[in-house]
């Protein structure tokens, strides 16, 4: 148990201090991470080109529709190779006969399998609705409910030199599937996203002493 | 002592179920006429006085022309679900019971024939029926548990089995036997006319549909307002309990109309008059959306309205209309 | 060495010669020299200092003009040499090295030895060694230097504001070989201080075990004190890290405990404590929101729910949406699927005992919890050293949501959208360490009203409206006394009030009102070494007022035909005004350990059911046999009585001659603990339920009149099976369990010919769930369930009811068909954001991840010729947020 009295300990030589610090440093080294670009929270958004294929129970398969979509993604890297986040995306596509609109909110888990290459698996809520441009079918066809997806992307960090976090550009490829009893749709998204990686806090990073012992919070 | 079931949840479940009834229902609605149907059975009069007879007829929907066969019967007490709604005791047993107490039963039979209409004669001495009522109702204040409620007359059940092609439907209807000839008896309600107006129209704009051959033309895919002609007096005021066993009070009959159509859909399957909650204007008005041109392959459509009160009274009317493409 | 000083030694030793003392053979710790006559032989000659050694004057002190006196104790041996030197009174000015210099010099002194009777002997003397400056102004002693505070700080844990005690803080300057610094440790309140730091920039390092390191730099200025607060972040904020591992000793055959931390992490339950119980073995799966606990083939009314030992008739809002007590108020819950102690009674099924938090907050804390259903708040704080108080409340906004969803001219009008709220107040006081007084007040209020715009639109139902309002309050005052040995006494007085109002149009209503006080006293004491006795009284009273006009409540075994419409079966009426019904009970339970490995718990409970004038006796026995350190064999047998439900006995609704029913419970099982965090528990059970109250269509004679019997005791139940629970306690970042139940439950009633399947006879019930802690305060959890479908009564035809204008189903043999099996995967993600003084947790709960369509029941078309499945919600995603400080 600790008592209130001040306990001073005059350390005889600088070597002892260094020794103390190096002991602390080895304990840190086991748990602190080296700074890299792809760390911490991420916030990103981008534009995608979309191809949609829908099947209706009564009307059969529709012709492929093409269009675009926007997506906003936010999340965090938990370990250097595992990250979790949310994605909100919406878009529209058209074929000669049908105009479709779709959107969704997904939970996204990513695995950083090699350098900056990440594989994604997603599940969440989504809806697809298609309207007949020619007016032959009065009511809209569509479905809402579950939405599943899978994707792959590679992050480039052209401006990054050192430190934790930074801005990146990510080309990505995603597939999505929205099931339903009377209508279901499958989509392919190809896009380019811009990300900002916040990086880890200084307290989690392995840094040389000169950088570590400053008053800043970020790495 | 454990308490009775918390009613709140049951209520909420019912409420939610009913509120969402419109959404996601995958079955054809009850009031859609497709295939052979038995729609109503009417007894005139619905409450039979001692010594009198009642004429019973049925309303059927025959999509492919006439060809229905009928089998009528009656039964003093009918079982419920666990007895498959069959008669609680056979004719032989019933006669044996009555003979045991010295009641003449030679002319008594449950069979009412196989004609399109049936004739039902008051079967027993009203004092015997009154005695059965008294012993079966239980001590006062105990609350009758749905066994027998005789204030509107002794209830018997008329059964009908109809066959049309390979389809068979069995139904049953309550017929009341008045215990006191002098007491006011129920009368069948009156449904005289049906008028039609275009969408959002009022009764003033409506044209009366004639019975028999149709003359009015409707456009496929359009909405029409329907107005039934029911006099307010058809909702009689009476003193008594209803089948729900409330203590006898003076109350007004509840009326409801079931609107059957053989194409398209109606805004309401049934409309109600319930004093204090739903007025007469609610009872007599409905909206019919005719089917799309490709869905109906005929040049005419049929409406059948069945009006009931909650004491066994029935009335109906049938009207046909011509339909054309837009 | 600077010789500008004079050292002089006071040979006051000779003056203080009387203080010399002969040395004992074993030198003791230095003490002030006592009178020599007490110790050893008389001294004839004192030792004399022959050779004085000058100490080196500490340079820093000389520069600072500081003088000192050091009092030493010197052991002189028989040859006159110095054996040992000790500092009895150090120099007033510390840190200059006076003591060390004096000690060093004195160790080189040479004495002529002391003599006793002519023989040289070893002695110990006190010696005053002074350091005096030559030119010093004669004064009094130089003022002692007071250390100057340069840098002071407070270490708090980020998010919880808890102080970090015992953490090492280092300040240093320079690098490599020339680095120098100081180190200190934080105290109980997290404070640390550094003195006499030279002005300039100092690097600060604090790296406690389990936390992220604090590495920063502070600038010290002369004449100023730098004050800081460091919020140190823990590596993981999983609540499991602070869970106390204290395991209560197991006495029962089967008791399953789930803590609040686990409750909040199980997916698919929205943190609802009672929904969590359905993930344990021996509990059947019920459709979403039904709120019923079906334990080992018992009806929901056969299982009781207690809050801190007090009976609560129901604990749900609207029968199943949400528990009326938030998870934040609970500590843990205990669930007994059968063979429970005589402490609990009036039930033949199982017991769920919900334990509220024991308030012991060190500081004020609380939370705000928002989800898609409701928002709740909680706040607790200590009142001095011995007392604490907490309040909480919650309100739903389902009403706001529903008003948006229900169309304006649809079939219903919401006159009062469904809303609920609940509130809790807790206070505790420990006047002495062996007593605790606590007060808990909680209440709940639900309300809902809709009007049907076309009452007859839906087949068969001719009710114009539904209006319900439910309220209950409970106040529990309890006193716990812990005396010497293992004697304890717990006294509990509960006052409760329940009100339920439901209206379904004219002539159909249920109005109930209960005032229920309950008194419980349980005393436990040791009779002998291996025998502990527990004696208790449990007195429950109801003062009931009823006014009911409604159809009979649904019963187990009812088919769709029975429950088809509100009109079926007719209406019954009853009215009771302020009737007092009493349920006194007493029990005795012994805990006997004849040999250390065997524990036997025989007990008996006596209940009197006032309403039906019946006294019942429940003897029960539980036995546990510890085969090894990791394996226990257990078994139990007992009788469990239960009174019939109020409406079954009521004159207007039921049969006043109905008696109590009872069950025999038998269980046999084993527990094995292969690893410290892994537990395997297998139990086989058999239950025989007699005199079950069942529906009757018979007519009997009562008071000379033929009346419908309505209910009788001809029913019988039979349940057998086994349940398995493999439980992984929190270790290596993971917790979870696998629960499997294999069972068969059957009933026999007046309608069935022999035994038929119970309504909830689910042959297989498998639940596998787990939660894993990821870095950065993320947690991921999942649950997979597989359940056999429920039996149902098939519809084999239909008849047209021409009066009601609806088809009535004709049913086949009761429960002779089975619904398809059900399986579902749920996922839960939690993330905690930690800030200096508070934390924010966000969670997302996804139900039915692979979108499996379930059939919880059939819905039929109007003439029962077609059916389709459905009835459960598929793929649902729920978000929630909690801010806690």
């Amino acid at each position: 148990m600790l008592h209130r009295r001040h306990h001073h300990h005059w350390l005889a030589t600088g070597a002892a201090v260094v020794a103390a610090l190096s002991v602390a440093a080895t304990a840190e080294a086991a748990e602190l991470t080296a700074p890299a670009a792809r760390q911490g929270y991420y916030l990103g958004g981008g534009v995608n080109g979309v191809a949609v294929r829908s099947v209706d129970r009564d009307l059969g398969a529709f012709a492929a529709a093409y269009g675009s979509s926007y997506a906003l993604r936010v999340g965090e890297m938990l370990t250097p190779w595992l990250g979790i986040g949310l994605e909100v995306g919406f878009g529209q596509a058209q074929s000669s006969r049908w105009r479709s609109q779709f959107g969704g909110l997904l939970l996204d888990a990513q695995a950083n399998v090699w350098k900056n290459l990440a594989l994604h698996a997603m599940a969440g809520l989504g809806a697809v609705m298609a309207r007949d441009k020619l007016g032959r079918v009065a009511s809209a066809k569509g479905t809402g409910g579950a939405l599943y997806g899978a994707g792959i992307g590679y992050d480039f960090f052209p401006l990054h030199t050192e430190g934790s976090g930074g801005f990146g550009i990510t080309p990505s490829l995603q597939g999505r599937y929205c099931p339903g009893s009377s209508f279901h749709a499958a989509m392919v998204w190809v896009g380019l996203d811009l990300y900002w990686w916040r990086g880890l806090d200084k307290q989690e990073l392995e840094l040389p002493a000169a950088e570590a012992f400053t008053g800043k919070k970020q790495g | 002592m454990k308490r009775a079931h918390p009613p709140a949840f049951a209520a909420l479940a019912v409420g939610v179920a009913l509120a969402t009834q419109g959404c996601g229902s995958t079955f054809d609605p009850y009031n859609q006429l497709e295939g052979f149907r038995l729609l109503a059975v009417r007894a005139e009069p619905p409450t039979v006085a001692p010594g009198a007879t009642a004429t019973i007829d049925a309303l059927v929907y025959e999509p492919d022309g006439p060809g229905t066969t009928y089998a009528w019967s009656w039964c003093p007490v009918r079982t419920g679900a666990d007895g498959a709604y069959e008669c609680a005791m056979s004719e032989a047993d019933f006669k044996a019971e009555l003979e045991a107490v010295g009641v003449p039963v030679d002319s008594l039979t449950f069979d009412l024939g196989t004609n399109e209409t049936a004739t039902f004669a008051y079967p027993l001495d009203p004092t015997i029926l009154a005695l059965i009522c008294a012993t079966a109702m239980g001590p006062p204040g105990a609350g009758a548990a749905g066994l027998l409620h005789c204030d509107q007359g002794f209830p018997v059940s008329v059964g009908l089995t109809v066959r049309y092609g390979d389809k068979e439907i069995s139904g049953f209807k309550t017929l009341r036997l008045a215990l006191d000839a002098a007491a006011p008896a129920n009368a069948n309600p009156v449904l005289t006319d049906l008028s039609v107006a275009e969408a959002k129209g009022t009764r003033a704009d409506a044209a009366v549909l004639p019975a028999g051959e149709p003359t009015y033309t409707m456009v496929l895919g359009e909405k029409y307002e329907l107005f039934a002609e029911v006099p307010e007096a058809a909702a009689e005021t009476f003193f008594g309990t209803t089948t729900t066993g409330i203590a006898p009070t003076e109350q007004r009959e509840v009326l409801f109309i079931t609107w059957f159509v053989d194409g398209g859909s109606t805004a309401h399957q049934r409309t109600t008059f319930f004093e204090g909650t739903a007025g007469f204007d609610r009872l007599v008005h409905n909206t019919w959306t005719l089917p799309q041109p490709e869905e109906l392959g005929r040049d005419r459509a049929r409406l059948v309205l069945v009006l009931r009160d909650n004491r066994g009274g029935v009335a109906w009317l049938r009207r046909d209309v011509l339909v054309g493409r837009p | 060495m600077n010789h500008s000083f004079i050292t002089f030694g006071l040979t006051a030793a000779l003056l203080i010669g009387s203080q010399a003392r002969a040395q004992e053979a074993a030198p003791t710790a230095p003490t002030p020299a006592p009178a020599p006559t007490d110790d050893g032989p008389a001294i004839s000659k004192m030792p004399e200092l022959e050779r004085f050694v000058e100490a080196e004057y500490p340079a820093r002190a000389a520069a600072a003009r500081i003088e000192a006196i050091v009092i030493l104790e010197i052991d002189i041996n028989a040859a006159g040499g110095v054996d040992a030197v000790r500092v009895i009174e150090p120099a007033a000015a510390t840190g200059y090295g006076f003591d060390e210099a004096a000690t060093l010099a004195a160790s080189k002194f040479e004495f002529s030895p002391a003599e006793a009777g002519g023989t040289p002997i070893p002695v110990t003397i006190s010696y005053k060694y002074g350091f005096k400056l030559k030119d010093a102004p004669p004064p009094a002693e130089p003022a002692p230097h007071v250390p100057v505070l340069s840098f002071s700080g407070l270490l708090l844990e980020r998010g919880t504001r808890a102080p970090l005690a015992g953490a090492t803080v280092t300040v240093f300057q320079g690098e490599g070989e020339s680095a120098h610094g100081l180190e200190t440790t934080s105290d109980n309140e997290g404070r640390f201080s550094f003195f006499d730091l030279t002005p300039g920039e100092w690097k600060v390092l604090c790296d406690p075990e389990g936390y992220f390191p604090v590495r920063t730099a502070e600038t010290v200025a002369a004449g100023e004190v730098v004050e800081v607060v460091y919020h140190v972040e823990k590596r993981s904020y999983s609540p499991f890290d602070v869970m106390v591992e204290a395991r209560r000793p197991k006495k029962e055959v089967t008791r399953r405990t789930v803590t609040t931390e686990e409750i909040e992490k199980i997916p698919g339950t929205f943190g609802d404590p009672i929904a969590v119980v359905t993930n344990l073995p021996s509990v059947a799966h019920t459709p979403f929101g039904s709120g019923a606990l079906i334990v080992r083939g018992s009806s929901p009314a056969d299982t009781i729910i207690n809050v801190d030992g007090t009976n609560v008739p129901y604990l749900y809002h609207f029968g199943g949406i949400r528990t009326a007590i938030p998870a934040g108020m609970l500590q843990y819950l205990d669930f007994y699927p059968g063979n429970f102690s005589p402490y609990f009674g009036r039930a033949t099924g199982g017991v769920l005992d919900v334990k509220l938090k024991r308030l012991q907050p060190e500081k004020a804390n609380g939370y705000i919890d928002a989800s898609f259903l409701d928002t709740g708040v909680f706040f607790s704080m200590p009142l001095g050293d011995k007392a604490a108080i907490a309040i909480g409340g919650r309100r739903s906004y389902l009403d706001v949501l529903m008003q948006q969803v229900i169309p304006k001219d649809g079939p219903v009008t919401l006159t009062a959208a469904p809303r609920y709220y609940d509130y809790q107040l807790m206070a505790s006081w420990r006047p002495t360490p062996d007593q605790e007084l606590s007060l808990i007040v909680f209440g709940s209020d639900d309300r809902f009203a809709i009007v049907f715009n076309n009452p007859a639109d839906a087949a068969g139902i001719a009710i114009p409206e539904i209006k319900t309002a439910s309220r209950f309050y409970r106040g529990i005052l309890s006193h716990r006394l812990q005396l010497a040995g293992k004697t304890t006494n717990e006294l509990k007085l509960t006052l409760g009030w329940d009100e339920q109002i439901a209206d379904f149009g004219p002539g159909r209503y249920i109005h109930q009102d209960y005032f229920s006080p309950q008194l419980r006293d349980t005393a436990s004491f040791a009779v002998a070494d291996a025998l502990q006795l527990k004696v208790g009284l449990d007195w429950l009273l109801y003062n009931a007022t009823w006014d009911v006009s409604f159809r009979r409540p649904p019963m187990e075994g009812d088919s769709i035909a029975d429950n088809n419409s509100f009109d079926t079966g007719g209406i019954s009426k009853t009215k009771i005004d302020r009737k007092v019904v009493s349920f006194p009970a007493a029990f005795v339970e012994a805990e006997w350990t004849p040999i250390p490995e065997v524990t036997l718990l025989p007990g008996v409970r006596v209940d009197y059911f006032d309403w039906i004038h019946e006294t019942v006796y429940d003897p029960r026995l539980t036995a546990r046999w510890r085969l090894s350190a990791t394996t226990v064999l257990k078994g139990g047998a007992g009788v469990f009585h239960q009174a019939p439900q109020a409406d079954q006995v009521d004159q207007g609704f039921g049969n006043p001659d109905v008696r109590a029913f009872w069950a025999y419970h038998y269980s046999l099982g084993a527990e094995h603990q292969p690893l410290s965090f892994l537990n395997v528990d297998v139990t086989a059970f058999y239950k025989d339920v007699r005199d079950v109250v069942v529906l009757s269509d018979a007519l009997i004679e009562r008071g000379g009149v033929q009346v419908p019997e309505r209910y009788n005791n001809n029913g019988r139940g039979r349940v057998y099976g086994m349940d398995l629970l493999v439980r992984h306690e929190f270790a290596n970042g993971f917790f979870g369990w696998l629960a499997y139940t294999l069972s068969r439950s059957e009933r026999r009633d007046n309608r069935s010919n022999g035994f038929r399947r119970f309504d909830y006879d689910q042959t297989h019930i498998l639940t596998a769930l787990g939660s894993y802690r990821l870095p950065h305060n993320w947690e991921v959890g999942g649950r997979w369930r597989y359940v056999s479908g429920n039996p149902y009564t098939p519809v084999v035809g239909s008849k047209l009811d021409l009066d009601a204008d609806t088809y009535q189903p004709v049913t086949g043999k009761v429960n002779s068909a089975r619904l398809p099996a059900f399986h579902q995967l749920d996922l839960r993600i939690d993330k905690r954001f930690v800030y200096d003084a508070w934390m924010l947790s966000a969670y997302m709960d996804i139900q039915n991840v692979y979108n499996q369509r379930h059939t919880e029941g059939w819905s039929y078309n109007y003439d029962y010729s077609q059916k389709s499945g459905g009835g459960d919600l598929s793929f649902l995603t729920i978000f929630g947020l909690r801010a806690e400080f």
Side-chain angles (χ1 to χ4, degrees), chain C residues 723-735:
Chain C
D723 75 29
L724 166 73
L725 180 65
V726 179
R727 195 162 181 169
H728 186 295
E729 312 266 353
F730 186 76
N732 305 321
F734 176 78
F735 100 87

Side-chain angles (χ1 to χ4, degrees), chain B residues 136-167:
Chain B
M137 273 184 79
L147 208 59
L148 267 186
H149 303 270
C150 294
D151 59 292
Q152 300 299 309
F154 186 94
V156 297
S157 181
V158 172
L160 169 64
T161 302
V162 283
R163 279 186 196 80
Y164 184 84
D166 57 357
K167 196 138 183 241

Side-chain angles (χ1 to χ4, degrees), chain B residues 246-289:
Chain B
I246 312 169
T249 54
E250 178 140 303
Q251 53 186 288
R252 194 109 184 259
E253 277 181 339
V254 175
L255 300 181
F256 62 98
I257 297 178
T258 311
W259 305 70
F260 293 99
V261 290
D262 67 353
S265 64
T266 53
H268 308 292
Q269 292 185 38
R270 286 182 192 83
T271 51
T272 320
F273 166 70
F274 198 124
E275 178 146 73
T277 307
F280 247 82
D281 49 315
R282 280 256 195 93
L283 171 72
V284 299
H285 175 230
N286 203 350
T287 307
W288 184 17
T289 306

Side-chain angles (χ1 to χ4, degrees), chain C residues 130-201:
Chain C
F131 291 82
K132 198 151 171 42
L133 292 166
K134 189 175 176 184
D135 325 323
E141 296 168 345
H145 176 80
V146 176
V148 175
L149 182 64
S150 317
F151 175 39
S152 152
L154 181 62
L155 291 178
L156 295 178
E157 187 179 276
R158 197 157 189 248
T160 63
R161 298 172 357 252
L164 253 68
T168 304
V169 183
T170 309
V171 294
F172 65 97
Q173 281 178 328
E175 279 175 32
E177 282 294 317
S178 63
H180 55 274
L182 290 121
E183 203 178 85
T184 185
T185 327
S186 61
D187 63 13
N188 263 359
E189 278 143 51
R191 295 206 161 274
F192 63 89
S193 316
F194 286 99
F195 297 83
D196 293 333
L197 294 179
T198 57
E201 190 184 83

Side-chain angles (χ1 to χ4, degrees), chain B:
Chain B
M1 149 170 118
K2 295 292 156 62
R3 66 187 59 243
H5 66 301
F9 174 63
L12 181 63
V14 167
V16 170
L18 293 175
T20 56
Q21 181 130 74
C23 0
S25 196
T26 54
F27 300 124
D28 290 332
Y30 178 75
N31 69 333
Q32 182 103 23
L33 293 175
E34 202 167 340
F36 176 66
R37 292 286 290 270
L38 170 63
L39 300 178
V41 164
R42 172 177 55 194
E44 183 54 60
T47 302
V48 189
T53 58
T55 310
I56 315 177
D57 63 334
L59 175 66
V60 292
Y61 175 75
E62 294 157 311
D64 305 317
T68 312
T69 59
Y70 298 77
W72 297 93
S73 63
W74 74 276
C75 179
V77 180
R78 195 173 288 279
T79 58
D82 33 305
Y85 301 95
E86 298 293 332
C87 207
M89 61 172 78
S90 70
E91 187 180 319
D93 291 340
F94 186 59
K95 284 171 130 171
E97 293 258 334
L98 292 175
E99 272 166 357
V101 292
V103 177
V105 292
D106 307 313
S107 57
L108 195 69
T109 173
F110 283 179
D111 183 12
L112 294 175
T114 53
N115 298 325
E116 237 179 83
T117 62
T119 310
F120 178 85
Y122 201 100
L124 294 167
D125 196 322
T127 49
I128 300 171
L129 295 174
L131 197 64
I132 301 176
C133 278
T135 51
M137 273 184 79
L147 208 59
L148 267 186
H149 303 270
C150 294
D151 59 292
Q152 300 299 309
F154 186 94
V156 297
S157 181
V158 172
L160 169 64
T161 302
V162 283
R163 279 186 196 80
Y164 184 84
D166 57 357
K167 196 138 183 241
E168 176 182 306
I169 303 176
S170 291
F172 51 90
K173 177 195 159 49
T174 307
L175 190 66
R176 299 266 172 186
L177 307 176
L179 298 172
D180 178 1
N186 186 22
N188 278 326
V190 178
L191 180 60
T192 48
D193 273 318
L194 179 62
S195 322
V196 177
E198 302 210 334
K200 306 265 199 295
T202 61
R203 188 183 272 275
D205 315 321
V208 176
L209 292 178
E213 275 304 301
T215 54
Y216 193 91
T217 308
M218 290 186 170
V219 180
L220 288 167
E222 295 295 315
K223 273 198 192 142
Y224 290 86
E225 307 298 330
L226 304 171
F227 298 94
E229 188 65 51
V230 179
E232 297 233 358
E236 301 168 291
T237 306
F238 66 99
F239 184 86
T241 68
T242 63
T243 52
T244 58
I246 312 169
T249 54
E250 178 140 303
Q251 53 186 288
R252 194 109 184 259
E253 277 181 339
V254 175
L255 300 181
F256 62 98
I257 297 178
T258 311
W259 305 70
F260 293 99
V261 290
D262 67 353
S265 64
T266 53
H268 308 292
Q269 292 185 38
R270 286 182 192 83
T271 51
T272 320
F273 166 70
F274 198 124
E275 178 146 73
T277 307
F280 247 82
D281 49 315
R282 280 256 195 93
L283 171 72
V284 299
H285 175 230
N286 203 350
T287 307
W288 184 17
T289 306
L290 264 66
Q292 296 296 325
E294 53 259 24
E295 290 171 28
L296 194 70
R298 300 173 247 122
D299 64 347
R300 59 182 62 192
R302 167 165 295 184
L303 284 150
V304 179
L305 268 65
V306 178
L307 167 65
R308 288 178 172 91
D309 65 28
N310 61 339
R311 292 198 291 166
V314 181
W316 61 65
L317 63 75
R318 266 175 293 215
R319 295 289 184 267
D320 290 338
V321 290
L322 298 166
V323 290
R325 298 186 167 267

